[in-house]
Amino acid sequence: MPSTATMPHTAPEHPVNVAILGAGRIAQKMATTLNLMAQDPTYRAYARPYAIASRDKTRAEEFAEQYGIPVAYGSYAQMLDDPHVDLVYIATPHSLHAEQAIACMEAGKHVLVEKAFTVNAEQARRVIDTSRRTGTLCAEAIWTRYMPSRALIRGLVEDGTIGDVCAISANLSYPTTHKQRIVDPKLAGGALLDVGVYPLNFIDMAIGPADTGTDGDTTATAGNDAAHGRRIARLETAMTPYTTGVDAQSTTTLFYDDGVMAVSTCSLLAVSDRDGAIWGTDGYLMCRNVNNVERIDVYGKDHALIRSIPVPKQLTGYEYEVAACASAIASGSIECPDMPHADTLRMMRLLDQIRDRWGLRYPCE
């Protein structure tokens, strides 16, 4: 089924007040996004920057001054006590996501949680159970799931432009070993949870969701692709460890029960082309940059370029997930249709299976 990412969202009666939890690099990008949304005629009805929360009061105040954010908290508890906070964007290391998301929802705040959503599927279930119990929205902030490029790619796959899909390849790699959170096992570091989630999600979005059981048997879920009945029949994976014990780079091959094969590669050591390729019986698609698709090139059997499809202009790319959350809150929903809870849980189970094959467990587990 095509993504709802290109469908118009219903704006809330009043823009939601967004608080950012964490003051790192990704929090800075969200602050920039919220400011641009507040100035944009299309997006200003959805959200506005309201607060920044950090464990360091000085850092929070400096962040607030730099990005023109009205309120700065020197503790997370202060943010939880503020009745004016509607939505909390959680931009801290993976190891903190579950406890922080639960605390926010227990305090009546909706949450948008950065990827990877949690460390493992067990934590993800607890977070989502809290969302259901409290009636608060909980969404995973994997921005590619909300982008218009998703529906464009899926449409090309479904309309037979390249014939029957036979195989997919996707990769994402950046040299990031200089960042402590990336290489620290205590913070659930490693390439898989940081960048590996993108090629795996690209594959999942391109051909439709599929699930696999923890013991190698296939298990259907509500999120499975009804049109194809596709399931993952087998998974093969291998990784190279970093000196700290986290995964430095890896490759994972998914074998589907209908014969489709997909390969996902990620690394925190190398620079890669970041391409996603979808190969069919009549041609293939080259999606430039699976982390934020810039254009889609369509090729025929003779490898000649048939057409190049640009994606819509964006503010930063984060605006889609924020608008989706604001719309869901306005409608009283506890999940976003672009990344429902079932999809988050399914992808977390896949990440668990991959790490289980490697024998990689984090101290917090």
Side-chain angles (χ1 to χ4, degrees):
M1 186 175 76
S3 163
T4 57
T6 56
M7 299 178 186
H9 290 295
T10 302
E13 186 176 349
H14 303 288
V16 298
N17 284 334
V18 182
I20 301 173
L21 197 160
R25 180 188 58 82
I26 203 164
Q28 295 170 6
K29 185 164 184 176
M30 178 55 79
T32 297
T33 302
L34 292 170
N35 278 318
L36 290 173
M37 290 179 74
Q39 300 163 19
D40 187 270
T42 299
Y43 290 106
R44 64 189 176 200
Y46 290 90
R48 58 188 167 209
Y50 174 73
I52 173 69
S54 172
R55 289 173 294 186
D56 184 327
K57 177 68 171 176
T58 300
R59 187 178 187 188
E61 289 174 343
E62 290 174 350
F63 189 105
E65 183 177 0
Q66 180 179 357
Y67 292 98
I69 295 177
V71 180
Y73 311 107
S75 74
Y76 300 150
Q78 288 179 315
M79 179 197 69
L80 297 179
D81 289 338
D82 188 340
H84 300 295
V85 172
D86 298 315
L87 174 67
V88 179
Y89 170 65
I90 298 177
T92 52
H94 310 137
S95 57
L96 300 174
H97 288 180
E99 65 175 272
Q100 291 175 340
I102 290 171
C104 288
M105 289 186 287
E106 294 281 9
K109 317 298 184 190
H110 305 287
V111 293
L112 175 61
V113 186
E114 252 309 320
K115 60 80 199 165
F117 184 70
T118 51
V119 173
N120 54 43
E122 181 183 357
Q123 287 187 355
R125 287 189 195 97
R126 294 205 312 268
V127 172
I128 290 170
D129 284 346
T130 304
S131 171
R132 292 168 179 166
R133 177 170 51 81
T134 60
T136 51
L137 174 109
C138 178
E140 182 176 1
I142 178 159
W143 62 337
T144 52
R145 286 273 180 173
Y146 303 83
M147 290 177 171
S149 58
R150 173 183 179 178
L152 293 173
I153 295 166
R154 189 78 167 124
L156 291 167
V157 169
E158 290 186 329
D159 68 10
T161 295
I162 59 172
D164 296 328
V165 172
C166 300
I168 302 177
S169 174
N171 75 84
L172 187 64
S173 303
Y174 299 104
T176 52
T177 55
H178 60 284
K179 297 180 180 180
Q180 180 61 24
R181 74 168 184 87
I182 299 295
V183 298
D184 190 345
K186 293 180 181 178
L187 299 179
L192 181 67
L193 295 192
D194 189 60
V195 292
V197 294
Y198 287 110
L200 288 170
N201 271 275
F202 174 86
I203 293 166
D204 191 79
M205 289 186 289
I207 59 174
D211 205 6
T212 182
T214 56
D215 297 319
D217 59 313
T218 54
T219 305
T221 67
N224 275 0
D225 186 11
H228 299 93
R230 183 180 286 115
R231 300 179 186 175
I232 299 171
R234 182 161 59 94
L235 179 157
E236 300 292 340
T237 186
M239 73 93 162
T240 301
Y242 191 61
T243 55
T244 60
V246 301
D247 55 303
Q249 50 189 5
S250 68
T251 183
T252 297
T253 304
L254 305 174
F255 299 88
Y256 296 85
D257 63 353
D258 61 356
V260 175
M261 182 181 76
V263 180
S264 171
T265 306
C266 64
S267 174
L268 51 78
L269 305 176
V271 177
S272 73
D273 57 24
R274 307 174 302 175
D275 279 351
I278 305 173
W279 305 320
T281 53
D282 297 329
Y284 56 96
L285 307 178
M286 293 300 300
C287 305
R288 308 302 179 179
N289 185 9
V290 296
N291 189 35
N292 183 4
V293 175
E294 298 158 5
R295 73 176 192 278
I296 307 159
D297 294 332
V298 183
Y299 292 86
K301 284 185 175 180
D302 58 357
H303 304 285
L305 179 65
I306 296 174
R307 67 183 185 273
S308 186
I309 303 169
V311 302
K313 186 178 179 182
Q314 59 189 30
L315 301 180
T316 68
Y318 282 20
E319 65 270 21
Y320 302 116
E321 61 191 39
V322 175
C325 285
S327 179
I329 292 169
S331 66
S333 177
I334 62 170
E335 57 187 338
C336 290
D338 304 288
M339 190 57 171
H341 293 165
D343 284 3
T344 288
L345 283 170
R346 180 167 44 77
M347 294 307 295
M348 288 306 308
R349 286 197 300 270
L350 179 58
L351 296 174
D352 281 0
Q353 282 188 267
I354 292 170
R355 287 198 298 116
D356 184 62
R357 295 290 183 90
W358 301 340
L360 173 59
R361 289 181 63 83
Y362 298 113
C364 62
E365 297 179 289

